[in-house]
């Protein structure tokens, strides 16, 4: 959908539409984007003085890849990680390579969140760099808050494997309704917008993802309280039926460790948003269109601008209302 929504000629020569459809049917659409970025990166690297268009197009592809990586992480990695933990809890034993896979999955999910956040920061008008300390704190609080959530869902899945799908569907429908009520307008048409909302609701089942403009404190607090209440109920259910699981896994140790990770992650999250989260004022730019070659270079031609990520950055970072850019209704990626 993103490839079809981008302006004609932006990506140069493309495979036939049937070939692209087959690639995405085989779950290779994300890999195709990565290959595009690799080719563009090699092109820029081979030039002694890369043109501004080549650099801007490389940034355009990199921003899309960051968001697609986030989608893939929560649609594939997070559910698979929960399934592996549930199977391990049911069997009562785990091999070393399974522990290694679990640890790398947690690190990969947290890294995808950090990479997405760094991509949003590049869309800020002043383009401030996310320092090493800020990156470490952001990475750690996501990791420490994700671990208790996945553990709670895995415990419930191990005890009641027949009901975990019902639990997910119930919460997912509530989160989908919440996303719809926030009035998202991100995709090119209403039908694809529901696909985006479905994806966002899946992300919200595990972690926070902002989709609406304005200050996010209220919505983030509501989402945090909702997931915390659900996780507590899942843990209480486990405590009342813990004798059903094998004794090979030290569950009595995991629960206090999970609580400690939760409170430490919450403290780091408060530290980040209190002192490290930027505020910015967005200047109106009527010519800025997602995917369109809308920014003039010194040579006189227009440069690609990733409007998708710019709009999400406007939602994610606070801004002064009187100086905020007012998006044009119907403005989507590469289309006015």
């Amino acid at each position: 959908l993103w490839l079809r929504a981008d302006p004609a000629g932006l990506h140069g020569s493309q495979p036939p539409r049937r070939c692209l459809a087959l690639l995405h049917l085989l779950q290779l659409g994300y890999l195709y984007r990565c290959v595009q970025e690799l080719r563009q990166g090699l092109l820029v690297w081979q030039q002694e003085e890369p043109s501004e268009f080549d650099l801007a197009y490389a940034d355009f592809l990199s921003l899309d890849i960051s968001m697609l990586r986030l989608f893939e992480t929560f649609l594939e990695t997070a559910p698979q990680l929960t399934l592996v933990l549930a199977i391990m809890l049911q069997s009562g034993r785990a091999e070393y390579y399974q522990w290694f896979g679990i640890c790398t999955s947690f690190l990969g999910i947290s890294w995808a969140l950090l990479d997405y956040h760094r991509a949003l920061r590049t869309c800020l008008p002043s383009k401030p760099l996310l320092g090493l300390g800020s990156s470490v704190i952001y990475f750690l609080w996501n990791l420490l808050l994700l671990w208790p959530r996945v553990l709670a869902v895995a415990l419930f899945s191990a005890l009641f494997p027949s009901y975990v799908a019902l639990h997910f569907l119930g919460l997912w429908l509530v989160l989908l309704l919440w996303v719809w009520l926030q009035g998202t307008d991100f995709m090119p048409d209403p039908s694809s917008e529901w696909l985006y909302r479905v994806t966002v609701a899946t992300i919200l089942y595990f972690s926070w993802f902002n989709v609406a403009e304005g200050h996010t404190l209220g919505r983030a607090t509501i989402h945090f309280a909702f997931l915390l209440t659900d996780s507590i109920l899942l843990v209480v259910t486990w405590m009342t039926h813990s004798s059903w699981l094998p004794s090979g896994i030290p569950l009595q140790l995991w629960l206090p460790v999970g609580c400690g990770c939760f409170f430490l992650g919450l403290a780091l999250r408060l530290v980040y948003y209190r002192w490290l989260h930027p505020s910015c004022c967005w200047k109106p730019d009527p010519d800025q269109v997602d995917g369109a070659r809308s920014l003039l270079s010194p040579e006189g031609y227009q440069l690609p601008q990733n409007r998708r990520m710019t709009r999400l950055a406007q939602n994610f970072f606070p801004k002064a209302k009187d100086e905020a850019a007012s998006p044009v209704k119907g403005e989507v990626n590469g289309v006015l």
Side-chain angles (χ1 to χ4, degrees):
L1 289 172
W2 284 4
L3 286 172
R4 291 170 58 185
D6 290 342
L10 174 65
H11 301 292
S13 60
Q14 294 283 344
R17 293 188 62 176
R18 290 185 178 181
C19 182
L20 285 176
L22 180 61
L23 282 174
H24 288 78
L25 180 64
L26 298 176
Q27 304 295 304
L28 298 176
Y30 171 70
L31 180 61
Y32 174 72
R33 283 283 190 163
C34 292
V35 171
Q36 277 188 305
E37 170 66 11
L38 180 61
R39 290 171 54 190
Q40 183 64 20
L42 290 174
L43 176 64
V44 171
W45 178 70
Q46 291 172 355
Q47 300 176 7
E48 293 185 0
E49 294 184 3
S51 65
E52 290 196 20
F53 177 83
D54 287 336
L55 292 173
Y57 181 55
D59 289 338
F60 178 93
L61 294 174
S62 178
L63 292 174
D64 269 358
I65 288 174
S66 294
M67 192 169 186
L68 291 172
R69 180 187 295 116
L70 186 72
F71 288 168
E72 184 186 46
T73 296
F74 283 98
L75 292 174
E76 182 176 337
T77 306
Q80 288 178 355
L81 174 60
T82 307
L83 176 62
V84 170
L85 275 174
I87 294 174
M88 190 178 67
L89 289 169
Q90 285 181 329
S91 63
R93 58 186 178 84
E95 303 295 338
Y96 289 109
Y97 69 87
Q98 290 177 309
W99 284 112
F100 178 78
I102 290 172
C103 293
T104 54
S105 294
F106 274 116
L107 294 175
I109 296 173
S110 302
W111 180 262
L113 288 166
L114 174 62
D115 179 72
Y116 171 75
H117 184 70
R118 291 174 66 91
L120 289 182
R121 289 288 286 265
T122 64
C123 297
L124 292 175
S126 57
K127 295 186 182 297
L129 297 176
L130 189 64
L132 177 61
S134 302
S135 299
V136 170
I137 291 179
Y138 191 88
F139 178 85
L140 286 178
W141 77 252
N142 277 287
L143 177 64
L144 294 173
L145 290 182
L146 180 69
W147 150 250
R149 174 60 181 171
V150 173
L151 177 60
V153 177
L155 286 170
F156 184 80
S157 303
L159 288 172
F160 305 104
S162 302
Y163 294 99
V164 64
L166 184 62
H167 170 266
F168 169 79
L169 183 61
L171 263 67
W172 178 79
L173 289 175
V174 173
L175 294 170
L176 180 62
L177 175 64
W178 193 43
V179 174
W180 173 68
L181 291 176
Q182 294 181 60
T184 62
D185 185 16
F186 181 75
M187 297 293 284
D189 55 78
S191 58
S192 60
E193 186 67 29
W194 277 106
L195 179 61
Y196 171 71
R197 292 167 182 167
V198 164
T199 305
V200 171
T202 307
I203 297 176
L204 290 172
Y205 182 82
F206 294 99
S207 181
W208 167 246
F209 187 87
N210 189 36
V211 294
E213 291 189 48
H215 294 282
T216 62
L217 178 60
R219 291 190 297 271
T221 303
I222 293 174
H223 175 263
F224 182 79
F226 181 76
L227 283 194
L228 177 60
T229 302
D230 178 69
S231 298
I232 291 176
L233 291 176
L234 295 179
V235 171
V236 169
T237 304
W238 163 74
M239 294 178 66
T240 57
H241 299 82
S242 59
S243 60
W244 293 12
L245 293 177
S247 58
I249 302 296
L251 295 177
Q252 282 71 20
L253 177 63
W254 284 17
L255 186 58
V257 169
C259 292
C261 290
F262 170 79
F263 286 110
L264 180 57
L266 179 60
L268 291 177
R269 183 177 184 178
L270 294 176
V271 167
Y272 176 84
Y273 281 107
R274 177 63 180 85
W275 288 289
L276 302 175
H277 193 63
S279 297
C280 63
C281 297
W282 295 87
K283 304 296 183 182
D285 187 0
D287 294 329
Q288 189 178 49
V289 185
D290 185 18
R293 304 175 183 184
S294 56
L295 300 181
L296 288 177
S297 69
E299 290 80 7
Y301 54 81
Q302 293 178 317
L303 303 178
Q305 175 88 11
N306 197 314
R307 184 64 176 169
R308 280 187 285 261
M309 293 293 287
T310 302
R311 294 178 69 185
L312 288 174
Q314 291 176 353
N315 295 339
F316 191 82
F317 296 104
K319 56 185 180 295
K321 293 183 179 179
D322 56 340
E323 298 184 12
S326 299
V328 180
K329 183 174 179 59
E331 184 181 356
V332 294
N333 186 48
V335 180
L336 276 178

